[in-house]
Amino acid sequence: MKLLLLGSGGREHALAWKIAQSQKIEKLFIAPGNAGTATVGENVPLKADDFEGIRTFVLANAIDMVVVGPEDPLVKGIYDYFRQDSALAAIPVIGPSKAGAVLEGSKDFAKGFMQRHGIPTAAYRSFNGTNIEEGLRFLETLQPPYVLKADGLCAGKGVLIVPTLDEAKREFRGMLDGMFGQASATVVVEEFLSGIECSVFVLTDGEHYKILPEAKDYKRIGEGDTGLNTGGMGSVSPVPFADAAWMQKVEERIVRPTIAGLKAEGITYKGFIFLGLIKVDRDYAYAKSGDPVVIEYNVRMGDPETESVMLRIQSDLVDLLEGVAQGNLHERTLVADPRNVVCVMMVSGGYPEKYDKGYEITGIDTVNNGQTADGQPLPPGCSRDESVVFHAGTAMNDGKVVTAGGRVIAVSSYGDSKDAALAKSFTEAAKIQFEKKYFRRDIGADL
Ligand code: AMP
Ligand code: GLY
């Protein structure tokens, strides 16, 4: 089969790495891809939301399946674009319809959906320019800290967690005044949930589903979860607290009612669902201490969770994606690798604020050479071939791989324990060099 994957980050390199291993793949294209995806497939210079360009490419190259990495093309309706075009209608797109993508595209819709289907989520109300006073009074009924969310997509920046009531009222007005443009014309105000987060990924054909290996991501720039939020500094899978009993609650209380709810509302959904969950550490009206509660839905895989999760899928991912397209996902097998995986993301100095691009990256070819950066034996528990390098923000310049983003390159490693996986990733990360490189050394250490 000829497959086109849309996107250009670490998530897409990890998906491309896994897809390229399938016996079913004759040719893999990535649009636009990065210097890493070019090592497992062929990059195509098209933006992931250039629907007309994608249409022309798909028809000219007899593409059999399109897999969508980021949310943007989904929220803009790429699924429906294919279905409504007679030349494209038979080509499966892995991702929800535009109506399904609203689960990520509108927090107000997602909250309403969860309420309609009895899915545990923080108590909330939504406000816009017509009921500002009510919103201020609602804030007074909540306990600090206060959680304010722009309804629409804001590239991960639309959530404010504010310590005092005065500040919350000010930020609430600011959001409705256009702090995030049209995205915050509606603001969701919700109860703060205390606990520890976990990302659970579901693949569905709209009827059946498979729960992929779960992961935890690390969003803050600094060690010990301090400093500014980033696009993600690393991830681990499995997550020790997501044991069988907890995952059963996730399946019964969240996954099944989500799939059933989509069906009941007539929403076509054939793709990945990312459940941003929290294991709460106290009782709420809708969950007891220790239970899973939904913080958000995303309609794609997570980044950098995918860079761990793909290593933990032993089965052929393309076979699973075919099951999604054909509506027989229940007839396909998903086998998880029992080993631990830790992903460490190397970023440009200064990120997530101002940083420079264009520095040469060296040492990628020394990964898995069986020694440390200074020629010593690998740490105990680490073996040679256990790491995979995923490019996030890289480009080719004059035949050299150079930095081209804040998050630059990730190393994901297997280990028989989390600590061994961590040690292997740090050992390899130390061997990859570029000017002002930074990475966190405590990924997974809190678990
Ligand atoms: P979201 O964009 O909805 O994922 O929110 C970004 C981050 O804000 C989440 O990953 C959580 O860390 C945090 N967050 C969102 N909602 C809540 C909440 N109700 N209680 C506590 N933390 C939250
Ligand atoms: N890692 C969180 C996200 O992909 O949104």
Side-chain angles (χ1 to χ4, degrees):
M1 134 179 0
K2 297 199 189 77
L3 193 149
L4 173 65
L5 171 67
L6 302 180
S8 62
R11 168 183 51 212
E12 284 74 24
H13 187 184
L15 286 167
W17 170 81
K18 183 66 186 162
I19 288 168
Q21 290 168 26
S22 171
Q23 297 292 333
K24 299 185 182 219
I25 290 292
E26 177 190 336
K27 182 90 196 180
L28 169 64
F29 296 98
I30 308 97
N34 62 33
T37 59
T39 64
V40 290
E42 184 178 327
N43 287 350
V44 182
L46 281 173
K47 288 198 176 132
D49 61 356
D50 174 5
F51 291 4
E52 280 180 29
I54 290 167
R55 178 183 194 278
T56 305
F57 181 83
V58 161
L59 295 176
N61 292 276
I63 297 295
D64 300 298
M65 179 184 279
V66 177
V67 178
V68 186
E71 64 275 16
D72 229 39
L74 295 166
V75 172
K76 288 179 179 155
I78 192 161
Y79 181 93
D80 312 73
Y81 179 86
F82 269 65
R83 299 288 77 77
Q84 287 156 11
D85 184 312
S86 57
L88 299 176
I91 302 167
V93 173
I94 304 300
S97 64
K98 190 170 184 173
V102 181
L103 277 184
E104 177 164 358
S106 165
K107 297 206 187 280
D108 178 50
F109 176 82
K111 296 295 287 189
F113 178 88
M114 287 186 268
Q115 226 168 35
R116 288 194 291 283
H117 301 289
I119 296 166
T121 189
Y124 84 106
R125 282 190 58 191
S126 296
F127 303 95
N128 58 33
T130 68
N131 55 359
I132 298 178
E133 291 304 319
E134 264 178 72
L136 296 172
R137 283 200 297 280
F138 181 65
L139 278 168
E140 288 167 4
T141 70
L142 298 176
Q143 298 298 312
Y146 301 88
V147 182
L148 307 172
K149 300 185 171 184
D151 174 52
L153 289 185
C154 298
K157 295 187 173 63
V159 176
L160 300 184
I161 298 184
V162 183
T164 68
L165 182 60
D166 277 354
E167 236 177 301
K169 288 183 170 177
R170 203 164 50 242
E171 298 284 17
F172 173 71
R173 284 184 188 277
M175 286 174 91
L176 290 175
D177 262 347
M179 186 190 297
F180 299 104
Q182 196 50 37
S184 64
T186 296
V187 173
V188 171
V189 178
E190 69 177 35
E191 184 171 26
F192 179 81
L193 297 168
S194 163
I196 184 159
E197 288 178 53
C198 180
S199 305
V200 170
F201 302 96
V202 180
L203 186 60
T204 182
D205 61 12
E207 186 82 34
H208 320 98
Y209 61 84
K210 300 272 187 211
I211 300 179
L212 306 181
E214 77 288 348
K216 184 175 191 303
D217 75 338
Y218 290 79
K219 293 194 176 78
R220 302 297 194 95
I221 187 74
E223 292 179 1
D225 277 327
T226 54
L228 293 173
N229 260 320
T230 70
M233 298 297 294
S235 61
V236 300
S237 179
V239 178
F241 67 78
D243 56 16
W246 196 74
M247 288 303 289
Q248 195 179 338
K249 287 184 190 170
V250 170
E251 182 165 7
E252 281 168 11
R253 299 178 190 180
I254 298 165
V255 177
R256 281 197 208 140
T258 297
I259 306 290
L262 288 167
K263 218 177 132 186
E265 298 194 13
I267 296 171
T268 303
Y269 204 118
K270 290 169 167 285
F272 296 100
I273 307 177
F274 168 166
L275 304 168
L277 305 180
I278 188 159
K279 179 179 180 175
V280 292
D281 60 16
R282 42 160 281 219
D283 290 351
Y284 291 87
Y286 36 84
K288 293 251 175 293
S289 179
D291 285 349
V293 177
V294 180
I295 288 198
E296 63 167 349
Y297 285 111
N298 294 305
V299 298
R300 52 173 172 83
M301 289 295 292
D303 196 348
E305 290 96 327
T306 307
E307 290 93 310
S308 288
V309 171
M310 287 302 128
L311 274 72
R312 294 209 52 236
I313 298 177
Q314 276 179 354
S315 315
D316 180 348
L317 181 63
V318 177
D319 182 60
L320 291 162
L321 299 178
E322 270 183 348
V324 170
Q326 294 168 11
N328 55 15
L329 185 56
H330 59 305
E331 293 169 11
R332 317 282 171 148
T333 43
L334 170 64
V335 179
D337 192 305
R339 288 176 289 175
N340 285 259
V341 174
V342 175
C343 160
V344 171
M345 183 67 72
M346 285 165 268
V347 305
S348 301
Y351 174 81
E353 297 181 286
K354 202 175 130 25
Y355 59 87
D356 296 319
K357 300 182 193 176
Y359 295 121
E360 185 181 355
I361 305 170
T362 58
I364 298 174
D365 53 345
T366 66
V367 169
N368 289 334
N369 70 355
Q371 56 188 34
T372 67
D374 41 17
Q376 300 300 307
L378 292 174
C382 297
S383 60
R384 194 179 177 108
D385 301 323
E386 287 176 323
S387 299
V388 188
V389 175
F390 294 124
H391 295 228
T394 67
M396 292 301 290
N397 189 356
D398 268 348
K400 292 175 179 157
V401 182
V402 298
T403 66
R407 292 192 299 161
V408 174
I409 204 161
V411 179
S412 298
S413 307
Y414 289 105
D416 290 335
S417 67
K418 179 169 57 63
D419 289 345
L422 193 67
K424 181 70 160 78
S425 279
F426 293 154
T427 302
E428 302 300 354
K431 287 152 57 178
I432 296 176
Q433 297 299 340
F434 56 89
E435 198 89 19
K436 300 185 192 155
K437 176 183 82 169
Y438 168 75
F439 61 93
R440 274 180 65 172
R441 286 158 208 277
D442 65 340
I443 302 301
D446 57 329
L447 294 172

